[in-house]
Amino acid sequence: MAESKVKLGVADVVAEKTIRHEDADPAPWGLDARLAVVGTEVSRVDGFAKASGAARYAGDQRPTGLAFARIVRCPHAHANVTRVDLDAVRTMPGVLAADETGGRRKTYAGAPVAVVCAADERSLDDAVAAVRVSYEVLPHVVDATEALAEGAAQVDPKRANRGDADGRGRGGGPAGDAQKALDEAELKVEATYRTQVQTHVPLEPHGSVATWSEDGKLTLWCSTQSVDAVRNEMARRFQVPAADVRVVTEFMGGGFGCKFGPDPCDYEAVRLARATKRPVWCMNDRREEHLTGGFRPDSVQKLTLGGRRDGTMTVIAGECYGTPGNGQGGAGAANTALYDIPARGVTQFGVSTFTAHGRAFRAPGHPQGVFALEGLVDEFALAAGMDPLDVRRLNDKHPVRRLEWPVGAKRIGWAQHRRKVPGSDRGPVKRGVGCAGGVWYNAGGGSWRIDVAVARDGSVVVRSGVQDIGTGTKTVLAVLVAEELGVAPGAVRVEIGDSRFPPGPGSGGSTTAPSVGPAAREAGVRAREGVAAVVAAAWGVDADKLSFAGGRVRGPGGKETTFEQACAQLPSEGLSVSGVRRKNYEGFSGTCGGVQFARVAVDVETGVVRVEKVVAVHDAGRIVDTLTARSQVNGGVIQGISYALFEEKRLDRASGDMVNPTFDTYRIAGMADTPEIDVVFMDVANGINNVGMMGLGEPATVPTAAAVANAVANATGVRMRELPMTPARVLAALAAARGGGK
Amino acid sequence: MGRTGHEGGGPPGLSRRELLRGAGLAAAAGATLLPAARALAADAPADLRVQGPDAVELTLTVNGAPRTVAAAPRDTLLDVLRLPLDLTGAKKVCDRGTCGACTVLLDGKPVYACSVLALDVAGRSVTTAEGVVGGAGRAVADAFVAKDAMQCGFCTPGMLVACAAAVAEHGPSLTLEQARAATAGNLCRCGTYPHVLEAALAAAKTAKGR
């Protein structure tokens, strides 16, 4: 083990810390690290392939003889399949296979019933249209509150729809004596906040192209957030050694948490490819994706926030539930995640309904929980007669977020734009500002390996089985290796998304980049040492006297050569080295703090909310590439606005089917809805791993909806406690407020 | 649409009413409709040009080169681009003209390829993202890379085509509002919009005036 003194911290909060680390692992970069590439704006290394359409995604693969498959799905929320007639279908032109799938009882609209495979898409259309299924339709319930009622149909006949209470909640466990704190509180605000079901709808749906070789080896191009998990699962399911399964995800069209394991379409592609002895394409269409591809559970959060008249928050308590669909877990709302409120007693439970399966969705539990928590904080501030920003600054103990509040306030113009009297703007368009905090937890981990090969011509290749779901993982790996070798990131070729390479982590929890980045840096160090050794031997100098920068290698006595020429000294096989992800160290901050401020304009005649500007101040430790990082924060903010204002999976109570499974009926934010977004990264030297990097994808979407809702309240004087804040809801809330004033 | 009625003289056992009833009944739609449509086509008068229901050959110009493909009447331009022509930059995302991921240029104007029938583009000129970057659109693609106007990249070729069309139309005078309007029909789930606008404006600055 080695010990290194590293300067950690942010702004003027600096501490020198001694970090014990493995000899092979370079010491974490401190505040004073002088870096050539890391922290600059680096263009995405696969950017041109994406822009030009040359990038081939799973559904773009065209192996010879490709056949097409589609799943026939149950139109009822709850039914027994009594008959599936496929005989006529099997004899239709072009049809290669038609099979029943899944069990007899179906518990959500969209459940697979049959699958058809044909030689071309038009034959497939005809064949799917000819499938006849008879059902015995059974009672169902698709709304969480209705599912709690006595006599409601049960998803699992052996257990109630109401899941076990979970006091742990998300993002902050129970603490203190909540009842006592409530009794002692000088001020209390109590309200019920509600959030909707949001579907992931990545533009690329779930799906795969599968092909089996004659000797029984499977190649699967799959749209997945975990190449490794899909390989292991397919090997298990189809009873072949994992070594005989190759999963490829070179490009991936978005997942946001819904693509960790195989979906029915992926399994069917593999099964049908084996059965028909042809490559098979099976991708969801948009409707299937909306119905079955995953969703963020809804929530009903009945909460009380209490504290002292001076604005100190002392207690949060209440009861929350939501539906994760067919299951019971994963519906918790992270409404205790911020401020480390001393007494916390929030009970959470999930409610089973006859809908598909909720899945992890970008910061699970957090946008909904923070929407409720930060709404209550504003209500508490109002009760205390204080500026809500002052209440936050008074209560917030997070070392980075404490610094972020004033940065955000200044950039949004809090003093100038905050309405002292909400709704007092002249005319129908009312403006205001609001803010909210966020948090995320992950600095990555695991023991992932990154391989780097340097050839005698100076070409550098980085290999890992990890996938890039759009965040820029390839670019991060290139930057970190380039930094250590002193070359341009564009000179580093990154080959990832292939299970032939060393396994990589699944892309979830904002852990991808911080899980593989430090290993890439270590591999870069090993590669530099390898090149330095041969150059030092040739020059007759100490290897540790060499420097690598600007594509050149320099040594004592004015010795200098290009990186390529230096590599020419390598043995004929070049250099193959690896880096390994080590355990995290105790960093400056164990969590990522973020704050967002929104300025909105609300037309009180139409109910339309427009977000005009968002300031997003975030900490993700060391930012490796500020350009792609800014893209991620933009995306988190825009998804948050979309969640706040537009999105809602609507289920027909009578049939249980989704009534808006299209982009014209399930609205997501578009170009016209996008405000000015001002992204600020706090330069935190965290030292939690050798790069000091943490996750960024999820924290960026945690505070947005809450900040927008708080801004709407400041603009109009009306508190919206239910998402999305549609024009109809805004008008209704305004009308209710006027009515209440009579 | 030409003749739609069919009163007598048709193939034995088939009347228009029966054909429509076949279509109305979901039952065995594929099995019933295709033979029926073939029968109607065979029965058409000599002065009426009938295409389909089976695939017919058509020639169009794709990215500057003439291409001949077989397409059924129900095939869209997007279908023939992605399969027989193997140009997969245009994505099938919604397949109903709501997302813009399949945007291509048809005779120089942006269209949703999912909402144009293949037979309607015979003799016309189609430029996909793959073709756009081979011409004046190269500067737009370079700006997309420089400004990081992409994340997962699935909407990106469609965005690129829409921006390239706007840059070609407005040149250096392209305004923010014009760029917004040009891409208002392109959805992105990752939230690349701000950088797309930056890229379009940057590319426009380097474009030649009209």
Side-chain angles (χ1 to χ4, degrees):
Chain A
M1 295 293 274
E3 285 192 355
S4 300
K5 284 201 165 98
V6 188
K7 218 186 243 187
L8 301 181
V10 55
D12 55 357
V13 186
V14 184
E16 193 169 75
K17 210 165 172 178
T18 301
I19 291 181
R20 278 171 55 79
H21 56 98
E22 307 242 3
D23 293 327
D25 194 19
W29 282 317
L31 269 180
D32 48 358
R34 292 169 62 183
L35 303 173
V37 193
V38 169
T40 64
E41 298 211 342
V42 179
S43 297
R44 207 170 280 263
V45 292
D46 52 0
F48 189 77
K50 286 183 174 180
S52 64
R56 292 256 174 178
Y57 295 72
D60 299 335
Q61 303 300 328
R62 298 288 179 265
T64 307
L66 185 62
F68 297 83
R70 195 175 309 144
I71 293 170
V72 178
R73 295 179 183 274
C74 179
H76 309 290
H78 189 197
N80 284 326
V81 175
T82 53
R83 186 177 143 79
V84 183
D85 187 354
L86 296 168
D87 292 345
V89 173
R90 292 194 180 102
T91 63
M92 288 174 67
V95 172
L96 302 170
D99 303 302
E100 282 188 54
T101 184
R104 180 167 182 267
R105 179 170 176 257
K106 308 296 177 187
T107 54
Y108 61 95
V113 173
V115 60
V116 183
C117 181
D120 65 277
E121 287 189 297
R122 295 298 83 81
S123 298
L124 182 62
D125 291 343
D126 295 341
V128 166
V131 172
R132 291 293 152 264
V133 184
S134 304
Y135 298 95
E136 175 198 0
V137 179
L138 302 168
H140 68 265
V141 57
V142 293
D143 175 87
T145 305
E146 289 175 15
L148 289 171
E150 203 172 320
Q154 279 178 225
V155 175
D156 181 343
K158 292 193 282 293
R159 61 188 291 180
N161 292 328
R162 180 181 165 138
D164 296 334
D166 172 10
R168 265 187 324 117
R170 273 180 187 266
D177 185 338
Q179 190 52 53
K180 182 164 173 280
L182 281 175
D183 293 343
E184 292 172 357
E186 295 168 0
L187 281 179
K188 272 186 280 194
V189 286
E190 186 177 350
T192 300
Y193 281 76
R194 290 184 167 83
T195 62
Q196 76 279 36
V197 172
Q198 177 191 28
T199 57
H200 298 66
V201 281
L203 288 204
E204 178 191 35
H206 286 79
S208 287
V209 171
T211 185
W212 290 84
S213 66
E214 291 198 356
D215 60 349
K217 294 191 170 79
L218 169 66
T219 299
L220 183 68
W221 292 273
C222 180
S223 179
T224 179
Q225 294 176 240
S226 182
V227 164
D228 194 45
V230 170
R231 178 175 68 160
N232 294 336
E233 168 58 14
M234 289 303 184
R236 189 194 65 79
R237 173 72 72 98
F238 294 95
Q239 307 265 304
V240 291
D244 288 353
V245 178
R246 181 183 173 202
V247 175
V248 183
T249 309
E250 192 185 358
F251 295 96
M252 200 274 199
F256 312 107
C258 70
K259 291 181 179 168
F260 286 111
D263 259 39
C265 48
D266 303 305
Y267 288 119
E268 290 299 343
V270 176
R271 189 186 66 78
L272 288 163
R274 181 140 83 174
T276 63
K277 297 184 165 47
R278 292 176 64 154
V280 171
W281 180 105
C282 188
M283 306 287 296
N284 280 352
D285 66 16
R286 188 51 42 192
R287 182 170 188 280
E288 292 176 289
E289 195 62 27
H290 265 297
L291 261 173
T292 70
F295 60 83
R296 182 190 297 283
D298 57 1
S299 73
V300 177
Q301 305 175 58
K302 300 173 188 171
L303 296 170
T304 304
L305 177 65
R308 294 197 287 270
R309 282 194 194 86
D310 67 358
T312 310
M313 296 186 280
T314 57
V315 59
I316 182 163
E319 185 183 78
C320 311
Y321 62 90
T323 180
N326 273 191
Q328 291 186 329
N335 44 33
T336 54
L338 303 174
Y339 306 116
D340 202 14
I341 299 170
R344 304 188 291 270
V346 178
T347 302
Q348 312 253 0
F349 58 91
V351 184
S352 301
T353 55
F354 292 85
T355 60
H357 304 89
R359 295 180 182 176
F361 192 161
R362 201 173 191 167
H366 281 67
Q368 58 266 54
V370 167
F371 164 67
L373 170 63
E374 288 288 50
L376 274 175
V377 170
D378 262 34
E379 298 195 64
F380 180 77
L382 190 66
M386 291 175 67
D387 183 317
L389 179 60
D390 294 339
V391 169
R392 289 180 171 85
R393 295 188 65 182
L394 175 70
N395 287 277
D396 203 345
K397 300 164 194 80
H398 193 280
V400 184
R401 215 166 41 224
R402 287 174 65 82
L403 305 174
E404 291 172 337
W405 291 114
V407 173
K410 185 162 183 231
R411 292 177 89 113
I412 199 75
W414 186 263
Q416 173 197 352
H417 293 294
R418 179 85 190 163
R419 296 297 185 265
K420 300 282 185 295
V421 182
S424 59
D425 286 9
R426 293 170 67 91
V429 178
K430 315 288 187 190
R431 287 186 167 76
V433 289
C435 64
V439 67
W440 199 247
Y441 314 97
N442 295 325
S447 54
W448 312 105
R449 194 182 99 208
I450 299 283
D451 289 348
V452 170
V454 184
R456 289 175 81 181
D457 64 352
S459 60
V460 181
V461 182
V462 182
R463 291 195 181 94
S464 164
V466 72
Q467 55 290 316
D468 185 340
I469 64 171
T471 54
T473 307
K474 277 180 206 163
T475 309
V476 162
L477 295 176
V479 166
L480 289 164
V481 171
E483 179 72 43
E484 293 298 345
L485 292 177
V487 300
V492 176
R493 195 165 92 210
V494 181
E495 296 180 352
I496 64 171
D498 190 327
S499 61
R500 292 187 304 183
F501 303 142
S507 292
S510 303
T511 59
T512 315
S515 292
V516 294
R521 185 187 167 207
E522 187 184 308
V525 170
R526 290 293 94 76
R528 189 188 67 218
E529 289 168 351
V531 176
V534 293
V535 174
W539 286 351
V541 300
D542 281 350
D544 58 8
K545 294 285 191 300
L546 301 185
S547 70
F548 289 67
R552 304 188 78 80
V553 183
R554 294 182 181 84
K559 287 195 161 55
E560 183 173 342
T561 186
T562 64
F563 181 76
E564 288 79 7
Q565 284 164 348
C567 293
Q569 321 258 5
L570 289 169
S572 57
E573 70 274 18
L575 185 69
S576 290
V577 295
S578 299
V580 178
R581 180 62 161 86
R582 314 282 168 179
K583 285 198 176 71
N584 284 322
Y585 311 118
E586 189 189 337
F588 170 75
S589 167
T591 59
C592 311
V595 302
Q596 292 184 6
F597 287 71
R599 191 180 79 221
V600 303
V602 183
D603 186 326
V604 296
E605 289 179 352
T606 63
V608 171
V609 176
R610 290 197 60 84
V611 182
E612 296 185 326
K613 181 174 181 173
V614 172
V615 176
V617 190
H618 286 279
D619 157 33
R622 187 171 297 278
I623 302 298
V624 173
D625 175 6
T626 50
L627 182 61
T628 51
R630 209 165 57 233
S631 284
Q632 274 209 75
V633 176
N634 284 342
V637 168
I638 292 165
Q639 267 189 9
I641 290 171
S642 196
Y643 178 61
L645 300 182
F646 309 126
E647 297 183 38
E648 183 169 17
K649 179 178 186 176
R650 299 187 71 91
L651 295 165
D652 176 41
R653 274 185 161 71
S655 68
D657 205 354
M658 184 172 175
V659 299
N660 57 340
T662 63
F663 276 132
D664 44 334
T665 53
Y666 183 103
R667 181 144 135 60
I668 67 171
M671 192 62 85
D673 308 306
T674 301
E676 178 192 351
I677 302 173
D678 179 12
V679 179
V680 183
F681 292 117
M682 301 298 281
D683 290 317
V684 180
N686 198 322
I688 199 161
N689 48 56
N690 69 31
V691 179
M693 61 196 302
M694 298 184 79
L696 182 60
E698 283 162 300
T701 206
V702 171
T704 313
V708 170
N710 287 344
V712 168
N714 182 236
T716 62
V718 172
R719 167 74 36 196
M720 302 294 296
R721 297 191 187 90
E722 183 169 12
L723 299 182
M725 294 177 278
T726 58
R729 285 207 180 112
V730 170
L731 290 178
L734 286 163
R738 277 196 302 273
K742 275 177 193 166
Chain B
M1 285 296 289
R3 179 179 169 186
T4 53
H6 184 93
E7 308 296 335
L14 179 74
S15 71
R16 175 168 174 267
R17 181 171 295 127
E18 281 163 346
L19 169 65
L20 291 176
R21 195 170 64 202
L25 288 171
T32 307
L33 271 180
L34 267 183
R38 284 190 190 111
L40 275 179
D43 184 47
D47 59 345
L48 184 69
R49 186 166 150 259
V50 175
Q51 300 187 86
D54 295 308
V56 296
E57 283 203 338
L58 66 130
T59 300
L60 64 161
T61 301
V62 180
N63 296 336
R67 303 291 297 267
T68 299
V69 293
R74 54 181 157 160
D75 281 333
T76 65
L77 171 58
L78 181 61
D79 290 327
V80 299
L81 288 173
R82 289 186 53 81
L83 277 163
L85 294 172
D86 198 25
L87 290 163
T88 57
K91 306 298 185 206
K92 188 180 277 193
V93 168
C94 72
D95 206 23
R96 56 186 285 148
T98 58
C99 78
C102 64
T103 304
V104 299
L105 301 180
L106 180 58
D107 298 328
K109 297 275 185 251
V111 296
Y112 292 151
C114 74
S115 301
V116 176
L117 289 172
L119 296 193
D120 286 342
V121 298
R124 300 175 72 181
S125 175
V126 174
T127 311
T128 67
E130 293 93 330
V132 163
V133 300
R138 172 69 198 225
V140 184
D142 289 343
F144 265 56
V145 178
K147 300 292 183 187
D148 200 38
M150 68 197 79
Q151 290 184 50
C152 81
F154 216 68
C155 73
T156 311
M159 284 280 190
L160 176 93
V161 172
C163 287
V167 170
E169 184 183 348
H170 300 287
S173 71
L174 179 74
T175 65
L176 180 63
E177 283 318 303
Q178 287 166 336
R180 272 186 195 273
T183 48
N186 292 71
L187 291 177
C188 169
R189 188 52 161 164
C190 300
T192 60
Y193 305 122
H195 286 177
V196 168
L197 292 176
E198 284 182 27
L201 294 175
K205 272 191 192 146
T206 66
K208 292 195 186 77
R210 273 197 288 174

